Amino acid sequence: FEGRILVVENDFACCDSTITNPVIRFPYEAFFDEDNTLWIADFLEGLLKISADESRQIFPQGLPNTTNVQNMSAERNVVAVAPGGAGPTTSDMFSRDGVLSFIDEWWNNYHEFNYPILGDSAFLSVYSAAVDPYTDAIYYGSWTGGLAEFSNGIFTIYNENNSIFEDVEGDPGSVRISGLAFDRFGNLWMTSFGSPKPIVVKKADGTWQSFAAAGIDDYGLTQIIIDDYDQKWMTIPKSNNQGILVFGTDENYNNAVYKVLKSGEGSGNLPTNEVLCLAKDLEGEIWAGTAQGVVVFYCPSSVLTQQGCDAQQIIVMQNGVAGYLLETERVNTIAVDGGNRKWVGTNNGVFLLSPDGTRQIAYYTVDNSPLLSNNITAIAINHQTGEVFIGTSKGLVSIRGEATAGEPKHSQVLVFPNPVRENYEGPIAIKGLAHNANVKITDATGMLFFETTAFGGQAVWDGRNYNGEKAKTGVYLIFTSNEDGSSTNVTKVMIIN
C-alpha cells in the first residue's frame, strides 16, 4: 500500500488498523518495538520512526536505494550507477530500481516514483551508464526502454520512436542499450543488444548513425570501449561466447572494418572466448577479463590490419612456480587508476595489480576489508579524488585510493591533512601533482627525510622516514617535479607530535 501501513493482528487476514503519515511514501517492511514505536523501511525515504511524539526520517536521503550494481561510470567528479538489467541468459529482470548518481558527496536516486517519465516510457532494468566528460549530461542504457539522457534535472528518453534505434529482433518495442562509451570528439557510442544494427553513435552535433556487426552470428554485443586509435572494442557474450568484436571506420564513418578476436594463435589468442569485460590503460593497451583470467593486447594499433594483434597472458610467479595471471578467476570487471594500476574484480574479491600486472599490490575480500561480498560486479574510479567505487552482489562500497589522474604539470597542489595532529595515524595525501611526479620530503634544514613517486597525480606519505621513525614536530618541505623537470613545486606540511 503506497503511503500506508496495514497492521494485521495475530497473523489473521483482518485489519486491526491502517496507519497513514506524510513521511510514509513506499514502505517495504515495518515493526513495532517494545515502546510501541513504529519503525519503517521505506523505499523512497529510508528508515522512518513514527511514535506518539514524533514522525521523522532517521536514515537520511542521499544514500543508494538499492544494493544492485550492474555497471558504473566516473567522470568530472561524478559517478553514475546502473543497478542492473539482464539475467545470465540475457533475459529481462524487470528491475524498477531506477538509476543513481553520486555528485558533490551526495547520492541521488532517480526512479519512476520521482521521475514518472521513467515509468511512462518503460525505462526499466538499467544495464549501462556513462558520464559525459564534456558536458553536464549523464547517460543510462535500459534493457527495455532505450537510452536516457539526464541533464539540468530533466530526463530525455530515446527509443525506437524518436531515434535511429531498432527493436530487438523478436521483441517489438524493446530497445536494449547494453554498452556506452564516449570518444575524444564527444560522440557517444552504444551497443544496442539484439537489434539488426547494434553499433550506434549519437554524435556531438546531435545526429545519429548506426552500423551492422559483421563477423558474428547474431546481434548480441554488450560492453564497448574506445582505444587511442578511435577503434571500438565490444564484448560478445551471446552466441556461445564469440570473444571480442573490434570495429573501425574512417573519419567520415565510412569504410567500416570489423574483426572478431577469439581463441587461437593468429585469431586473437584468447584463453577462452568467454570475455566478460574490457579496459584501456594509460599506455593505450587493452586489458580483457575472461573466464580464465586476464589478457592484454599490447598492439591495438595493428588489430585491424592484416598483421593483427594477439592477446598476451601475463606470467607471474607464485610460490616459486610460474603461471598465468589470475588464470583460475572469472574476471568480471577491470578499472585503471591514475597510477595505471589495475583494479580487477572477480567472484573471489578484488585484486589490485601493478601497472604491468606482474605484481599483486593488495587483495581485498570480505575477510580483510569492508567488502559486502566477494562477488564483484563493477568497479569505477573517481580520478579527481582517487576514490574507488566497488559494486558487489550485496551492495556498493568505496575505498579512498592512493592514485588520482595526473596532468603534465602541477595544478593547485594540496597537502591533506595539514597540519597533521599528534593523534592522527592515517596517510598524508599530496594532491594536484604532475603525472608520476618525483616527491622529496625534507626537514626545515633541508635534510632528506623521505622520497617517493606519485601515483598519477597524488602521492601518499605515512609521516615516517625510511626506518619507520615518525616525523618529529616541525615544518617539513615537500619538493615535487615532473619527469623532465619542466614543472616543479614546493609546499609545506606542519607535523605535530
Side-chain angles (χ1 to χ4, degrees), residues 113-394:
F113 306 107
N114 55 12
Y115 281 89
I117 187 175
L118 299 179
D120 295 342
S121 59
F123 195 83
L124 309 175
S125 304
V126 181
Y127 192 89
S128 53
V131 179
D132 190 331
Y134 307 104
T135 74
D136 69 347
I138 305 173
Y139 290 85
Y140 300 94
S142 165
W143 200 249
T144 56
L147 176 72
E149 175 186 349
F150 184 70
S151 179
N152 296 320
I154 299 173
F155 275 100
T156 302
I157 307 297
Y158 300 97
N159 52 35
E160 76 281 7
N161 298 319
N162 63 352
S163 73
I164 202 171
F165 292 131
E166 299 182 41
D167 295 338
V168 174
E169 280 204 344
D171 189 6
S174 178
V175 175
R176 302 176 179 176
I177 306 303
S178 47
L180 298 167
F182 280 91
D183 66 19
R184 55 195 172 96
F185 305 108
N187 304 312
L188 175 60
W189 289 84
M190 294 160 271
T191 49
S192 181
F193 188 99
S195 70
K197 291 186 176 181
I199 305 171
V200 183
V201 58
K202 179 180 181 291
K203 300 176 186 177
D205 63 7
T207 61
W208 297 70
Q209 193 167 346
S210 60
F211 305 84
I216 61 176
D217 294 339
D218 57 30
Y219 315 124
L221 297 171
T222 48
Q223 184 189 6
I224 180 171
I225 67 168
I226 302 173
D227 66 20
D228 289 343
Y229 307 94
D230 207 34
Q231 300 166 145
K232 289 74 187 175
W233 299 61
M234 293 157 281
T235 53
I236 317 172
K238 206 175 175 183
S239 306
N240 299 318
N241 301 307
Q242 294 183 49
I244 300 168
L245 177 68
V246 184
F247 163 75
T249 65
D250 60 25
E251 60 183 11
N252 296 316
Y253 301 105
N254 298 316
N255 303 315
V257 181
Y258 305 84
K259 180 174 285 189
V260 175
L261 304 175
K262 52 189 177 181
S263 59
E265 189 173 349
S267 299
N269 202 36
L270 294 171
T272 170
N273 289 335
E274 190 175 359
V275 179
L276 306 174
C277 62
L278 298 165
K280 180 179 76 72
D281 74 6
L282 301 187
E283 301 295 331
E285 296 162 354
I286 304 299
W287 291 61
T290 78
Q292 296 178 22
V294 175
V295 297
V296 185
F297 292 89
Y298 294 104
C299 45
S301 63
S302 306
V303 68
L304 292 178
T305 68
Q306 186 174 1
Q307 175 186 351
C309 178
D310 273 357
Q312 303 295 320
Q313 290 180 277
I314 297 172
I315 298 175
V316 295
M317 298 296 295
Q318 186 171 7
N319 299 324
V321 179
Y324 290 124
L325 177 64
L326 303 178
E327 62 180 324
T328 62
E329 301 288 345
R330 289 181 64 87
V331 176
N332 302 319
T333 180
I334 301 173
V336 181
D337 69 18
N340 206 27
R341 302 179 303 175
K342 312 311 187 285
W343 294 74
V344 180
T346 72
N347 289 348
N348 294 303
V350 177
F351 295 83
L352 175 57
L353 305 177
S354 62
D356 62 3
T358 60
R359 182 170 55 90
Q360 180 179 301
I361 298 170
Y363 174 43
Y364 300 105
T365 69
V366 294
D367 297 322
N368 66 2
S369 76
L371 283 180
L372 302 172
S373 166
N374 287 336
N375 184 7
I376 310 303
T377 58
I379 301 177
I381 300 174
N382 183 339
H383 292 293
Q384 279 66 45
T385 65
E387 189 169 5
V388 180
F389 293 82
I390 302 174
T392 79
S393 59
K394 293 184 178 180

Side-chain angles (χ1 to χ4, degrees), residues 438-456:
N438 175 257
V439 179
K440 289 183 171 67
I441 300 171
T442 75
D443 60 23
T445 68
M447 181 71 69
L448 182 65
F449 192 79
F450 189 76
E451 184 174 3
T452 188
T453 300
F455 291 118

Side-chain angles (χ1 to χ4, degrees), residues 10-162:
N10 298 327
D11 294 330
F12 290 102
C14 64
C15 301
D16 182 69
S17 63
T18 300
I19 298 173
T20 61
N21 192 289
V23 301
I24 303 173
R25 294 285 303 283
F26 206 95
Y28 267 0
E29 295 186 34
F31 74 92
F32 286 99
D33 66 16
E34 62 274 12
D35 298 322
N36 207 34
T37 296
L38 179 62
W39 297 88
I40 304 169
D42 191 285
F43 176 75
L44 298 180
E45 300 298 326
L47 180 62
L48 305 178
K49 177 184 179 182
I50 298 178
S51 66
D53 301 324
E54 63 175 345
S55 300
R56 65 189 179 96
Q57 183 185 50
I58 303 298
F59 208 168
Q61 294 181 359
L63 292 171
N65 64 354
T66 176
T67 59
N68 298 320
V69 182
Q70 166 71 33
N71 181 262
M72 291 189 288
S73 171
E75 290 282 354
R76 298 187 287 101
N77 212 24
V78 173
V79 179
V81 179
T89 60
T90 68
S91 58
D92 192 350
M93 295 177 67
F94 300 103
S95 165
R96 309 183 85 89
D97 286 339
V99 298
L100 298 89
S101 70
F102 185 64
I103 304 173
D104 296 330
E105 302 295 317
W106 188 265
W107 282 103
N108 305 279
N109 302 288
Y110 314 114
H111 39 69
E112 59 186 300
F113 306 107
N114 55 12
Y115 281 89
I117 187 175
L118 299 179
D120 295 342
S121 59
F123 195 83
L124 309 175
S125 304
V126 181
Y127 192 89
S128 53
V131 179
D132 190 331
Y134 307 104
T135 74
D136 69 347
I138 305 173
Y139 290 85
Y140 300 94
S142 165
W143 200 249
T144 56
L147 176 72
E149 175 186 349
F150 184 70
S151 179
N152 296 320
I154 299 173
F155 275 100
T156 302
I157 307 297
Y158 300 97
N159 52 35
E160 76 281 7
N161 298 319
N162 63 352

